[in-house]
Amino acid sequence: MLERYELETFLVLAEELHFGRTGERLGVSTGRVSQTVKKLERRFGTPLFARTSRSVALTPVGRRLYEDVLPAHRQLRAAVERATEAGRGAHGSLRAGFGTPWDAELLTAAAEALRRDRPGCEVSVREVPLDGGVRPVLDGDLDIQLAAFPVREPGLTTGPVAVRDDRVLLLPASHPLAGRTALGLEDLAGLPLITTEGAHPRHWLDHHYPRRTPSGAPIPRGPVAATWQEVLSHVTAGRGVTPGAARGARYHPRPGIAYVPLRDAPPLEYGLVWPAAAESALIRTFVAAVGTVREE
């Protein structure tokens, strides 16, 4: 059984490959690092590091040991941190982002509930432009975001679906299809589709702005918009059409725009995303608050 100081000495030296830097990180002398490593090697009966006057390298056995114990060590540290956070309780400040007005209402209600129930918590809420994607979370400008799925970016944790809505097609009110009670994805053939680009990956764009109908007919690209106000302006001006959420008709009513249901399109889904490496008691508490508010 490895003692804690032995395990940490081995892992740090495996990362630094330098006895002096390892001692500095651990706050011990170089001699103490060397003694600990020799003790481990005697216990295992084989060298863990190949050492010369100029370099330090892991032996094959040392490399295997490092790869085997590192995940367990990280899990143990995470468990200790979670237990410590649970003992202290959620506290601190959180920056949350939204992309639609209904997402803003949900986040604001959850933030208010959190402040009421946990006075040590503060959540600020701000808008993310349509072309922003989840870049604010990836760049560290936000701690958590209510984003349109799918989100598959590495390093992000996705919560459950918080908002689900049917899809509609936004058309100019004067368009021949605007009077229909419902449309299908095949009706998109030949219609210039107003899209966004920005920080969104290709799979997200194809999910929200398909390039072909189910039968393979091409859907041409229309103007590119960075915000929903630009989208609405393009539709009103007759420059194209665009898919959207059904509740958008309540939040963005315009006399020049018709919202027609897309009967065979999958629903739109929105959920919370946050950096996996930055998960905390506060984030978990806020995620729970969003779920509670949504169910009320």
Side-chain angles (χ1 to χ4, degrees), residues 238-288:
R239 301 188 187 104
V241 303
T242 195
R247 69 186 68 193
R250 302 198 308 271
Y251 288 87
H252 302 296
R254 291 201 178 187
I257 297 179
Y259 291 78
V260 183
L262 279 171
R263 60 177 178 273
D264 55 352
L268 289 172
E269 296 180 335
Y270 306 81
L272 290 167
V273 301
W274 61 92
E279 183 167 323
S280 65
L282 179 54
I283 284 180
R284 290 191 292 273
T285 302
F286 184 64
V287 171

CSV table of all heavy atoms in Angstrom, one decimal, residues 238-288:
chain,number,residue,atom,x,y,z
A,238,GLY,N,-38.1,39.6,-46.6
A,238,GLY,CA,-38.3,38.6,-47.7
A,238,GLY,C,-37.0,38.0,-48.3
A,238,GLY,O,-37.0,37.5,-49.4
A,239,ARG,N,-36.0,38.1,-47.5
A,239,ARG,CA,-34.7,37.6,-48.0
A,239,ARG,C,-34.5,36.1,-47.8
A,239,ARG,O,-33.5,35.5,-48.2
A,239,ARG,CB,-33.5,38.3,-47.3
A,239,ARG,CG,-33.5,39.8,-47.5
A,239,ARG,CD,-32.3,40.5,-47.0
A,239,ARG,NE,-32.4,41.9,-47.0
A,239,ARG,CZ,-32.6,42.7,-46.0
A,239,ARG,NH1,-32.8,42.2,-44.8
A,239,ARG,NH2,-32.7,44.0,-46.1
A,240,GLY,N,-35.4,35.5,-47.0
A,240,GLY,CA,-35.3,34.0,-46.8
A,240,GLY,C,-36.3,33.6,-45.7
A,240,GLY,O,-37.1,34.4,-45.2
A,241,VAL,N,-36.1,32.3,-45.3
A,241,VAL,CA,-36.9,31.7,-44.2
A,241,VAL,C,-35.9,31.1,-43.2
A,241,VAL,O,-34.8,31.0,-43.5
A,241,VAL,CB,-37.9,30.7,-44.8
A,241,VAL,CG1,-38.8,31.2,-45.8
A,241,VAL,CG2,-37.1,29.5,-45.3
A,242,THR,N,-36.5,30.7,-42.1
A,242,THR,CA,-35.6,30.1,-41.1
A,242,THR,C,-36.4,29.3,-40.1
A,242,THR,O,-37.5,29.6,-39.7
A,242,THR,CB,-34.7,31.2,-40.3
A,242,THR,OG1,-33.7,30.5,-39.6
A,242,THR,CG2,-35.6,31.9,-39.3
A,243,PRO,N,-35.8,28.2,-39.6
A,243,PRO,CA,-36.5,27.4,-38.6
A,243,PRO,C,-36.4,28.1,-37.2
A,243,PRO,O,-35.4,28.9,-37.0
A,243,PRO,CB,-35.8,26.1,-38.6
A,243,PRO,CG,-34.9,26.1,-39.8
A,243,PRO,CD,-34.6,27.5,-40.1
A,244,GLY,N,-37.3,27.8,-36.3
A,244,GLY,CA,-37.2,28.4,-35.0
A,244,GLY,C,-38.1,27.7,-34.0
A,244,GLY,O,-38.8,26.7,-34.4
A,245,ALA,N,-38.2,28.2,-32.8
A,245,ALA,CA,-39.0,27.6,-31.8
A,245,ALA,C,-40.5,28.1,-31.9
A,245,ALA,O,-40.7,29.3,-32.1
A,245,ALA,CB,-38.4,27.8,-30.4
A,246,ALA,N,-41.4,27.2,-31.6
A,246,ALA,CA,-42.8,27.6,-31.7
A,246,ALA,C,-43.1,28.8,-30.7
A,246,ALA,O,-43.9,29.7,-31.1
A,246,ALA,CB,-43.7,26.5,-31.4
A,247,ARG,N,-42.6,28.8,-29.6
A,247,ARG,CA,-42.9,29.9,-28.6
A,247,ARG,C,-42.3,31.2,-29.1
A,247,ARG,O,-42.6,32.3,-28.5
A,247,ARG,CB,-42.4,29.5,-27.2
A,247,ARG,CG,-40.9,29.5,-27.1
A,247,ARG,CD,-40.5,29.0,-25.7
A,247,ARG,NE,-40.9,27.5,-25.5
A,247,ARG,CZ,-40.9,26.9,-24.4
A,247,ARG,NH1,-40.6,27.5,-23.3
A,247,ARG,NH2,-41.2,25.6,-24.4
A,248,GLY,N,-41.4,31.2,-30.1
A,248,GLY,CA,-40.9,32.5,-30.6
A,248,GLY,C,-42.0,33.4,-31.1
A,248,GLY,O,-41.9,34.6,-31.2
A,249,ALA,N,-43.2,32.8,-31.5
A,249,ALA,CA,-44.3,33.6,-32.0
A,249,ALA,C,-44.8,34.5,-30.9
A,249,ALA,O,-45.3,35.6,-31.2
A,249,ALA,CB,-45.4,32.7,-32.5
A,250,ARG,N,-44.7,34.1,-29.6
A,250,ARG,CA,-45.1,34.9,-28.5
A,250,ARG,C,-44.1,35.9,-28.1
A,250,ARG,O,-44.4,37.0,-27.7
A,250,ARG,CB,-45.4,34.0,-27.3
A,250,ARG,CG,-46.5,33.0,-27.5
A,250,ARG,CD,-47.0,32.4,-26.2
A,250,ARG,NE,-46.0,32.0,-25.3
A,250,ARG,CZ,-45.5,30.8,-25.2
A,250,ARG,NH1,-45.9,29.9,-26.1
A,250,ARG,NH2,-44.6,30.5,-24.3
A,251,TYR,N,-42.8,35.6,-28.3
A,251,TYR,CA,-41.8,36.5,-27.8
A,251,TYR,C,-41.3,37.5,-28.9
A,251,TYR,O,-40.8,38.5,-28.7
A,251,TYR,CB,-40.6,35.7,-27.4
A,251,TYR,CG,-40.8,35.0,-26.1
A,251,TYR,CD1,-41.3,33.7,-26.0
A,251,TYR,CD2,-40.4,35.6,-24.9
A,251,TYR,CE1,-41.5,33.1,-24.8
A,251,TYR,CE2,-40.6,35.0,-23.7
A,251,TYR,CZ,-41.1,33.7,-23.6
A,251,TYR,OH,-41.3,33.1,-22.4
A,252,HIS,N,-41.5,37.1,-30.2
A,252,HIS,CA,-41.1,37.9,-31.3
A,252,HIS,C,-42.2,38.1,-32.3
A,252,HIS,O,-42.1,37.8,-33.5
A,252,HIS,CB,-39.9,37.3,-32.1
A,252,HIS,CG,-38.7,37.0,-31.2
A,252,HIS,ND1,-38.0,38.0,-30.6
A,252,HIS,CD2,-38.1,35.9,-30.8
A,252,HIS,CE1,-37.0,37.5,-29.9
A,252,HIS,NE2,-37.0,36.2,-30.0
A,253,PRO,N,-43.4,38.6,-31.9
A,253,PRO,CA,-44.5,38.7,-32.9
A,253,PRO,C,-44.2,39.9,-33.8
A,253,PRO,O,-43.8,41.0,-33.3
A,253,PRO,CB,-45.7,39.0,-32.0
A,253,PRO,CG,-45.1,39.6,-30.7
A,253,PRO,CD,-43.8,39.0,-30.5
A,254,ARG,N,-44.4,39.7,-35.1
A,254,ARG,CA,-44.2,40.8,-36.1
A,254,ARG,C,-45.3,40.6,-37.1
A,254,ARG,O,-45.5,39.5,-37.6
A,254,ARG,CB,-42.8,40.7,-36.7
A,254,ARG,CG,-41.7,41.1,-35.7
A,254,ARG,CD,-40.5,41.5,-36.5
A,254,ARG,NE,-39.4,41.9,-35.6
A,254,ARG,CZ,-38.2,42.5,-36.0
A,254,ARG,NH1,-38.0,42.7,-37.3
A,254,ARG,NH2,-37.3,42.8,-35.1
A,255,PRO,N,-45.9,41.7,-37.5
A,255,PRO,CA,-46.9,41.6,-38.6
A,255,PRO,C,-46.4,41.1,-39.9
A,255,PRO,O,-47.1,40.5,-40.7
A,255,PRO,CB,-47.4,43.0,-38.7
A,255,PRO,CG,-46.4,43.9,-38.1
A,255,PRO,CD,-45.7,43.1,-37.1
A,256,GLY,N,-45.1,41.2,-40.1
A,256,GLY,CA,-44.5,40.8,-41.4
A,256,GLY,C,-44.0,39.4,-41.4
A,256,GLY,O,-43.5,38.9,-42.4
A,257,ILE,N,-44.2,38.6,-40.3
A,257,ILE,CA,-43.7,37.3,-40.2
A,257,ILE,C,-44.8,36.3,-39.8
A,257,ILE,O,-45.6,36.5,-38.9
A,257,ILE,CB,-42.6,37.2,-39.1
A,257,ILE,CG1,-41.4,38.1,-39.6
A,257,ILE,CG2,-42.1,35.8,-38.9
A,257,ILE,CD1,-40.3,38.1,-38.6
A,258,ALA,N,-44.8,35.1,-40.5
A,258,ALA,CA,-45.7,34.0,-40.2
A,258,ALA,C,-44.9,32.9,-39.5
A,258,ALA,O,-43.8,32.6,-40.0
A,258,ALA,CB,-46.4,33.5,-41.4
A,259,TYR,N,-45.4,32.3,-38.5
A,259,TYR,CA,-44.8,31.1,-37.8
A,259,TYR,C,-45.6,29.9,-38.1
A,259,TYR,O,-46.8,29.8,-37.6
A,259,TYR,CB,-44.8,31.4,-36.3
A,259,TYR,CG,-43.8,32.4,-35.8
A,259,TYR,CD1,-44.2,33.8,-36.0
A,259,TYR,CD2,-42.6,32.1,-35.3
A,259,TYR,CE1,-43.3,34.8,-35.5
A,259,TYR,CE2,-41.7,33.1,-34.8
A,259,TYR,CZ,-42.1,34.4,-35.0
A,259,TYR,OH,-41.2,35.4,-34.5
A,260,VAL,N,-45.1,29.1,-39.0
A,260,VAL,CA,-45.9,27.9,-39.5
A,260,VAL,C,-45.2,26.6,-38.9
A,260,VAL,O,-44.0,26.4,-39.1
A,260,VAL,CB,-46.0,27.8,-41.0
A,260,VAL,CG1,-46.8,26.7,-41.5
A,260,VAL,CG2,-46.5,29.1,-41.6
A,261,PRO,N,-46.0,25.7,-38.2
A,261,PRO,CA,-45.4,24.5,-37.7
A,261,PRO,C,-44.7,23.6,-38.7
A,261,PRO,O,-45.2,23.5,-39.8
A,261,PRO,CB,-46.6,23.8,-37.1
A,261,PRO,CG,-47.6,24.9,-36.8
A,261,PRO,CD,-47.4,25.9,-37.9
A,262,LEU,N,-43.6,23.1,-38.3
A,262,LEU,CA,-42.9,22.1,-39.2
A,262,LEU,C,-43.2,20.7,-38.5
A,262,LEU,O,-42.7,20.3,-37.5
A,262,LEU,CB,-41.4,22.3,-39.1
A,262,LEU,CG,-40.8,23.4,-40.1
A,262,LEU,CD1,-39.4,23.6,-39.8
A,262,LEU,CD2,-41.0,22.9,-41.5
A,263,ARG,N,-44.2,20.0,-39.2
A,263,ARG,CA,-44.8,18.8,-38.5
A,263,ARG,C,-43.8,17.7,-38.4
A,263,ARG,O,-44.0,16.8,-37.5
A,263,ARG,CB,-46.0,18.4,-39.3
A,263,ARG,CG,-45.7,18.0,-40.7
A,263,ARG,CD,-47.0,17.5,-41.5
A,263,ARG,NE,-46.7,17.2,-42.9
A,263,ARG,CZ,-46.8,18.0,-43.9
A,263,ARG,NH1,-47.1,19.3,-43.6
A,263,ARG,NH2,-46.5,17.7,-45.1
A,264,ASP,N,-42.8,17.5,-39.2
A,264,ASP,CA,-42.0,16.3,-39.2
A,264,ASP,C,-40.5,16.7,-38.8
A,264,ASP,O,-39.6,15.9,-38.9
A,264,ASP,CB,-41.9,15.6,-40.5
A,264,ASP,CG,-41.5,16.6,-41.7
A,264,ASP,OD1,-41.4,17.8,-41.5
A,264,ASP,OD2,-41.3,16.1,-42.8
A,265,ALA,N,-40.3,17.9,-38.2
A,265,ALA,CA,-39.0,18.2,-37.7
A,265,ALA,C,-38.8,17.9,-36.3
A,265,ALA,O,-39.8,17.9,-35.5
A,265,ALA,CB,-38.8,19.7,-37.9
A,266,PRO,N,-37.7,17.4,-35.8
A,266,PRO,CA,-37.5,17.1,-34.4
A,266,PRO,C,-37.6,18.3,-33.6
A,266,PRO,O,-37.3,19.4,-34.0
A,266,PRO,CB,-36.0,16.5,-34.4
A,266,PRO,CG,-35.4,17.1,-35.6
A,266,PRO,CD,-36.4,17.2,-36.6
A,267,PRO,N,-38.0,18.2,-32.3
A,267,PRO,CA,-38.1,19.4,-31.5
A,267,PRO,C,-36.8,20.0,-31.2
A,267,PRO,O,-35.7,19.4,-31.2
A,267,PRO,CB,-38.8,18.8,-30.2
A,267,PRO,CG,-38.4,17.3,-30.2
A,267,PRO,CD,-38.3,16.9,-31.6
A,268,LEU,N,-36.9,21.3,-30.8
A,268,LEU,CA,-35.7,22.0,-30.3
A,268,LEU,C,-35.5,21.7,-28.8
A,268,LEU,O,-36.5,21.6,-28.1
A,268,LEU,CB,-35.8,23.5,-30.5
A,268,LEU,CG,-35.8,24.0,-32.0
A,268,LEU,CD1,-36.1,25.5,-32.0
A,268,LEU,CD2,-34.4,23.7,-32.6
A,269,GLU,N,-34.2,21.5,-28.4
A,269,GLU,CA,-33.9,21.2,-27.0
A,269,GLU,C,-32.8,22.1,-26.5
A,269,GLU,O,-31.9,22.3,-27.3
A,269,GLU,CB,-33.5,19.7,-26.9
A,269,GLU,CG,-34.7,18.7,-27.2
A,269,GLU,CD,-34.2,17.3,-27.1
A,269,GLU,OE1,-33.0,17.0,-27.2
A,269,GLU,OE2,-35.1,16.4,-26.9
A,270,TYR,N,-33.0,22.5,-25.3
A,270,TYR,CA,-32.0,23.4,-24.7
A,270,TYR,C,-31.7,22.8,-23.3
A,270,TYR,O,-32.5,22.3,-22.6
A,270,TYR,CB,-32.6,24.8,-24.5
A,270,TYR,CG,-33.2,25.5,-25.7
A,270,TYR,CD1,-34.4,25.2,-26.2
A,270,TYR,CD2,-32.4,26.4,-26.4
A,270,TYR,CE1,-35.0,25.8,-27.3
A,270,TYR,CE2,-32.9,27.1,-27.5
A,270,TYR,CZ,-34.2,26.7,-28.0
A,270,TYR,OH,-34.7,27.3,-29.1
A,271,GLY,N,-30.4,22.9,-23.0
A,271,GLY,CA,-29.9,22.4,-21.7
A,271,GLY,C,-28.7,23.1,-21.2
A,271,GLY,O,-28.1,23.9,-21.9
A,272,LEU,N,-28.4,22.9,-19.9
A,272,LEU,CA,-27.2,23.6,-19.3
A,272,LEU,C,-25.9,22.9,-19.7
A,272,LEU,O,-25.9,21.6,-19.8
A,272,LEU,CB,-27.4,23.6,-17.8
A,272,LEU,CG,-28.5,24.5,-17.3
A,272,LEU,CD1,-28.7,24.2,-15.8
A,272,LEU,CD2,-28.1,26.0,-17.5
A,273,VAL,N,-24.9,23.6,-20.0
A,273,VAL,CA,-23.6,23.1,-20.2
A,273,VAL,C,-22.6,23.9,-19.4
A,273,VAL,O,-22.7,25.1,-19.2
A,273,VAL,CB,-23.2,23.2,-21.7
A,273,VAL,CG1,-24.2,22.4,-22.6
A,273,VAL,CG2,-23.2,24.6,-22.2
A,274,TRP,N,-21.5,23.2,-19.0
A,274,TRP,CA,-20.5,23.8,-18.2
A,274,TRP,C,-19.2,23.0,-18.3
A,274,TRP,O,-19.2,21.8,-18.7
A,274,TRP,CB,-20.9,23.9,-16.7
A,274,TRP,CG,-21.1,22.6,-16.0
A,274,TRP,CD1,-20.2,21.8,-15.3
A,274,TRP,CD2,-22.4,21.9,-16.0
A,274,TRP,NE1,-20.8,20.7,-14.9
A,274,TRP,CE2,-22.1,20.7,-15.3
A,274,TRP,CE3,-23.7,22.1,-16.5
A,274,TRP,CZ2,-23.1,19.7,-15.0
A,274,TRP,CZ3,-24.6,21.1,-16.3
A,274,TRP,CH2,-24.4,20.0,-15.6
A,275,PRO,N,-18.0,23.6,-18.0
A,275,PRO,CA,-16.7,22.9,-18.2
A,275,PRO,C,-16.7,21.8,-17.1
A,275,PRO,O,-16.9,22.0,-15.9
A,275,PRO,CB,-15.7,24.0,-17.9
A,275,PRO,CG,-16.4,25.3,-18.1
A,275,PRO,CD,-17.8,25.1,-17.7
A,276,ALA,N,-16.3,20.6,-17.6
A,276,ALA,CA,-16.3,19.5,-16.7
A,276,ALA,C,-15.2,19.7,-15.6
A,276,ALA,O,-15.4,19.3,-14.5
A,276,ALA,CB,-15.9,18.2,-17.5
A,277,ALA,N,-14.1,20.3,-16.0
A,277,ALA,CA,-13.0,20.5,-15.0
A,277,ALA,C,-13.4,21.6,-14.0
A,277,ALA,O,-12.7,21.7,-12.9
A,277,ALA,CB,-11.7,21.0,-15.7
A,278,ALA,N,-14.4,22.4,-14.2
A,278,ALA,CA,-14.7,23.5,-13.3
A,278,ALA,C,-16.0,23.2,-12.5
A,278,ALA,O,-16.5,24.1,-11.8
A,278,ALA,CB,-14.9,24.8,-14.0
A,279,GLU,N,-16.5,21.9,-12.5
A,279,GLU,CA,-17.7,21.6,-11.8
A,279,GLU,C,-17.5,21.8,-10.3
A,279,GLU,O,-16.5,21.5,-9.7
A,279,GLU,CB,-18.1,20.1,-12.0
A,279,GLU,CG,-19.4,19.8,-11.4
A,279,GLU,CD,-20.0,18.5,-11.8
A,279,GLU,OE1,-19.8,18.2,-13.1
A,279,GLU,OE2,-20.5,17.7,-11.0
A,280,SER,N,-18.5,22.4,-9.7
A,280,SER,CA,-18.4,22.8,-8.2
A,280,SER,C,-19.8,22.5,-7.6
A,280,SER,O,-20.8,22.3,-8.2
A,280,SER,CB,-18.0,24.2,-8.1
A,280,SER,OG,-19.0,25.1,-8.7
A,281,ALA,N,-19.8,22.7,-6.3
A,281,ALA,CA,-21.1,22.6,-5.5
A,281,ALA,C,-22.0,23.7,-6.0
A,281,ALA,O,-23.2,23.4,-6.1
A,281,ALA,CB,-20.8,22.7,-4.0
A,282,LEU,N,-21.5,24.9,-6.3
A,282,LEU,CA,-22.4,25.9,-6.7
A,282,LEU,C,-23.0,25.6,-8.1
A,282,LEU,O,-24.2,25.8,-8.3
A,282,LEU,CB,-21.6,27.2,-6.8
A,282,LEU,CG,-22.4,28.5,-7.3
A,282,LEU,CD1,-23.6,28.7,-6.5
A,282,LEU,CD2,-21.5,29.7,-7.3
A,283,ILE,N,-22.3,25.1,-9.0
A,283,ILE,CA,-22.8,24.7,-10.3
A,283,ILE,C,-23.9,23.6,-10.1
A,283,ILE,O,-25.0,23.7,-10.7
A,283,ILE,CB,-21.7,24.2,-11.3
A,283,ILE,CG1,-20.9,25.5,-11.8
A,283,ILE,CG2,-22.3,23.5,-12.5
A,283,ILE,CD1,-19.8,25.1,-12.7
A,284,ARG,N,-23.6,22.6,-9.3
A,284,ARG,CA,-24.6,21.5,-9.1
A,284,ARG,C,-25.8,22.0,-8.5
A,284,ARG,O,-26.9,21.6,-8.8
A,284,ARG,CB,-23.9,20.4,-8.3
A,284,ARG,CG,-22.8,19.6,-9.0
A,284,ARG,CD,-22.4,18.4,-8.3
A,284,ARG,NE,-21.8,18.7,-7.0
A,284,ARG,CZ,-20.5,18.9,-6.9
A,284,ARG,NH1,-19.7,18.8,-8.0
A,284,ARG,NH2,-19.9,19.1,-5.8
A,285,THR,N,-25.7,23.0,-7.5
A,285,THR,CA,-26.8,23.5,-6.9
A,285,THR,C,-27.7,24.4,-7.9
A,285,THR,O,-28.9,24.3,-7.8
A,285,THR,CB,-26.4,24.4,-5.7
A,285,THR,OG1,-25.6,23.6,-4.8
A,285,THR,CG2,-27.6,25.0,-5.0
A,286,PHE,N,-27.0,25.1,-8.7
A,286,PHE,CA,-27.7,25.9,-9.7
A,286,PHE,C,-28.4,25.0,-10.7
A,286,PHE,O,-29.6,25.3,-11.1
A,286,PHE,CB,-26.8,26.9,-10.4
A,286,PHE,CG,-27.5,27.8,-11.3
A,286,PHE,CD1,-28.4,28.8,-10.9
A,286,PHE,CD2,-27.2,27.8,-12.7
A,286,PHE,CE1,-29.0,29.6,-11.7
A,286,PHE,CE2,-27.9,28.6,-13.6
A,286,PHE,CZ,-28.8,29.6,-13.1
A,287,VAL,N,-27.8,24.0,-11.2
A,287,VAL,CA,-28.4,23.0,-12.1
A,287,VAL,C,-29.7,22.5,-11.5
A,287,VAL,O,-30.8,22.4,-12.1
A,287,VAL,CB,-27.5,21.9,-12.5
A,287,VAL,CG1,-28.2,20.8,-13.3
A,287,VAL,CG2,-26.3,22.4,-13.3
A,288,ALA,N,-29.6,22.1,-10.2
A,288,ALA,CA,-30.8,21.6,-9.5
A,288,ALA,C,-31.9,22.7,-9.4
A,288,ALA,O,-33.1,22.4,-9.5
A,288,ALA,CB,-30.4,21.1,-8.1
